[in-house]
Amino acid sequence: GNVAAQEADVDFDKVADEFIRGYFAARPLAGTAIGLHEYDGKISDYTRLAIDAEIARLKRFDERLRQFDNTKLSVRAAIDLRLLQAAIGKELFQIQDMAVYERNPMTYARALDVNVYVKRNFAPIENRVRSIVAIESQMPNIIIAAKTNLNDVLPKPYVELAIQIARGSSEFLKTNLVEAIGELKDEKLRAAFSQSNRKAYTALADYASWLEKDKLPKATADFALGEEKFRHMLAETELVDMPPAKILDLGLEQLKQEQASFSAAAKKID
């Protein structure tokens, strides 16, 4: 049994490694953030083609992971299998059910997060600024993708927040980011940064104005998932099989207990 479990684990680890590599290739900023610097200077591709390719990849790995029998894996691998399946379920739920690329304009307003490049000194400032330049120069393309992918009518709370996020992000690039790379001596690189930074903060400001003019007037109040999708989300992403009403009851029960112990503690302190 042990040898079989080891062999099953080896096979599983291979599939898991391959999945994780593909995961970060599609989400390079997340790769850089956890210290995988082969992803430096890259940003996700938001074109329809790339989104569809990622959906296909997630489904393919979901299928491959279903081939494993968790009773034949070691405890560690069996847990990892469940975690990966839940992670894939969550990604597919966000892309397909929540339609984050079609219904949520915040997806694009938040796309350009270069904080990790200024907060962490993982490479010389020149290298980090080169990465920022490469990433920022993609921002206009991301906004073109946003305008192509987003539905005609969007949920109003999403539009309002996306406008705030895009403006805040634009302002951050314009002022804070410029300050953050203050120590950069290389003039040629500084000129390249000024150019890519202007492109990026202009694209974000334009996006905010476009949302305000084009999307806000016809936005609707309707943004809730609805019970069916919520139930699906719990099953797929949290591996919870209970109806939402039951979960609410459990939560309220727990809240009552917390409140009781809180007031008991408060009486003692009094």
Side-chain angles (χ1 to χ4, degrees), residues 56-212:
R57 190 189 74 87
L58 289 164
K59 287 180 170 171
R60 200 165 59 243
F61 275 96
D62 194 42
E63 198 45 53
R64 284 175 72 181
L65 291 172
R66 280 177 209 275
Q67 309 307 312
F68 291 99
D69 175 353
N70 60 6
T71 61
K72 296 203 169 77
L73 294 167
S74 68
V75 175
R76 178 214 44 100
I79 292 170
D80 283 349
L81 174 63
R82 295 276 285 179
L83 286 172
L84 271 187
Q85 285 173 317
I88 291 174
K90 184 178 176 181
E91 292 293 328
L92 283 170
F93 185 82
Q94 287 182 338
I95 301 172
Q96 295 183 308
D97 299 77
M98 290 180 75
V100 290
Y101 297 107
E102 295 83 23
R103 285 190 77 223
N104 193 344
M106 290 184 270
T107 301
Y108 307 96
R110 282 196 288 242
L112 190 90
D113 181 2
V114 289
N115 277 327
V116 64
Y117 288 99
V118 287
K119 275 200 307 219
R120 286 192 216 152
N121 196 359
F122 58 80
I125 182 87
E126 292 77 18
N127 297 23
R128 288 181 285 133
V129 171
R130 265 184 217 106
S131 290
I132 292 173
V133 169
I135 289 169
E136 285 193 322
S137 59
Q138 287 306 309
M139 202 60 213
N141 291 337
I142 291 172
I143 300 309
I144 292 169
K147 292 177 178 182
T148 311
N149 297 341
L150 286 166
N151 292 342
D152 193 35
V153 176
L154 298 169
K156 193 173 183 184
Y158 292 1
V159 178
E160 290 171 337
L161 274 169
I163 291 167
Q164 285 175 18
I165 294 166
R167 291 217 165 110
S169 193
S170 178
E171 208 42 54
F172 171 83
L173 297 179
K174 207 172 183 170
T175 53
N176 309 68
L177 186 61
V178 175
E179 285 161 26
I181 65 144
E183 57 180 293
L184 182 71
K185 302 275 186 283
D186 182 332
E187 286 307 318
K188 213 168 141 189
L189 185 53
R190 185 173 278 284
F193 166 75
S194 290
Q195 197 183 357
S196 71
N197 197 40
R198 189 179 310 114
K199 259 191 204 164
Y201 69 63
T202 306
L204 279 159
D206 287 351
Y207 179 52
S209 304
W210 175 77
L211 287 172
E212 204 165 49

Side-chain angles (χ1 to χ4, degrees), residues 6-27:
Q6 276 172 341
E7 276 179 18
D9 276 19
V10 168
D11 289 344
F12 168 73
D13 286 341
K14 262 195 215 136
V15 175
D17 286 346
E18 201 187 319
F19 172 75
I20 289 162
R21 273 204 306 279
Y23 180 89
F24 287 125
R27 300 162 187 77

